[in-house]
Amino acid sequence: MRIHRLERSQELQRPLDEVFAFYADAANLEAITPPFLHFRVLTPAPIAMRPGARIDYALSLFGVPMRWRTRIAVWEPGVRFVDEQERGPYALWRHTRAFEARGDATVVRDLVEYALPLGPLGTLAHVLFVRRALRAIFDHRREATRRLVEGAAR
């Protein structure tokens, strides 16, 4: 199984506690995910974020409706949290979000480690569209997060 990595970082002009609180609210995932995914959080709110918490989602990936379940594997408020796929489209999905105060701003770092199923077909899918789609999704999330987090302070 080939493990791929996607890394993104951004500096938000808000204090760490506000930025972490935004990311800690699973409902905000809907607001920062591109509309073409038709992404919905299915787990009733409020979701108590802690190690072992499970969150169910519905989405449409390349026009195919699917369910996705992640589990919070690591929860360190104000520092980082990690979600791992329990059920979904990937053979492996581990998403780490790390937070660092920089004066009155906050640096957010995303690291996604993922692998595709189906051996050579998964490799081909990665080359043809998965890698590009994930980059687009995380670029969209970066801009949507900036608008929502920094815009809310105005």
Side-chain angles (χ1 to χ4, degrees):
M1 175 169 66
R2 173 124 192 266
I3 298 175
H4 306 281
R5 294 169 58 101
L6 173 71
E7 296 183 68
R8 291 287 189 271
S9 67
Q10 77 180 115
E11 184 173 308
L12 296 164
Q13 299 305 310
R14 301 302 307 147
L16 187 140
D17 60 335
E18 286 181 27
V19 173
F20 189 85
F22 176 84
Y23 279 93
D25 183 348
N28 286 326
L29 271 174
E30 288 183 25
I32 65 172
T33 300
F36 75 84
L37 287 174
H38 306 288
F39 184 89
R40 291 178 300 124
V41 177
L42 300 176
T43 303
I47 298 170
M49 298 295 273
R50 57 177 169 64
R54 288 179 168 80
I55 308 168
D56 290 306
Y57 317 94
L59 66 143
S60 177
L61 192 60
F62 307 113
V64 178
M66 63 184 61
R67 298 286 176 103
W68 191 333
R69 171 177 285 163
T70 61
R71 178 181 53 81
I72 302 300
V74 176
W75 182 254
E76 297 177 41
V79 178
R80 71 181 176 131
F81 65 96
V82 179
D83 66 80
E84 297 178 345
Q85 174 188 282
E86 285 191 342
R87 184 181 70 231
Y90 294 90
L92 167 75
W93 178 272
R94 182 181 308 115
H95 183 183
T96 301
R97 292 166 201 86
F99 304 82
E100 177 188 336
R102 188 174 287 165
D104 291 334
T106 304
V107 175
V108 181
R109 290 185 180 84
D110 286 286
L111 168 61
V112 180
E113 299 164 289
Y114 65 98
L116 298 167
L118 306 175
L121 288 176
T123 299
L124 181 62
H126 185 258
V127 169
L128 293 177
F129 52 83
V130 173
R131 175 178 45 209
R132 192 172 324 129
L134 283 175
R135 287 175 180 167
I137 290 165
F138 276 82
D139 289 346
H140 176 91
R141 283 183 170 187
R142 179 175 41 218
E143 293 311 310
T145 299
R146 181 175 309 287
R147 273 193 320 275
L148 290 167
V149 171
E150 293 180 350
R154 294 187 179 128

